[in-house]
Amino acid sequence: MTISFWGIIWTLLIGVVFGVLGRLLLPGKQNISFLVTVLAGVVAVVVGLFISEALGVATTNGVDWIELLIKIVLAVIFVGLAARFFSKGNAPA
């Protein structure tokens, strides 16, 4: 696997989308910055790709629905963790 400039740019852009999706799907208010949301989305995209590759569902003959679902679930989890540990003005309990 090679890492290219455009690969990094696409990962960041897709991370923004998945971070925002994770934030929208997570119930309640997340008192975290947009940057933390994006970072949670990027982590979800990268971890989701590795999980999808390991399960053999990363590449199909159509839309990779299972891979997308894995990344969305991970985005919700990572945004929730970020809200728990990086919330503005709140120390973790």
Side-chain angles (χ1 to χ4, degrees):
M1 177 190 288
T2 61
I3 299 174
S4 69
F5 172 76
W6 290 110
I8 292 170
I9 296 298
W10 275 114
T11 301
L12 290 173
L13 290 174
I14 294 170
V16 169
V17 171
F18 278 93
V20 170
L21 265 176
R23 195 166 179 165
L24 287 173
L25 293 174
L26 186 66
K29 182 173 179 357
Q30 298 82 41
N31 195 18
I32 56 175
S33 69
F34 184 70
L35 178 62
V36 173
T37 302
V38 169
L39 291 175
V42 169
V43 171
V45 167
V46 172
V47 172
L49 177 62
F50 284 117
I51 292 172
S52 299
E53 288 284 339
L55 295 175
V57 296
T59 305
T60 62
N61 290 331
V63 178
D64 302 326
W65 293 110
I66 297 172
E67 180 184 8
L68 290 173
L69 182 63
I70 290 169
K71 289 178 181 179
I72 291 170
V73 169
L74 287 173
V76 171
I77 291 169
F78 288 134
V79 167
L81 288 172
R84 171 112 171 121
F85 293 106
F86 299 107
S87 194
K88 293 187 236 176
N90 294 337

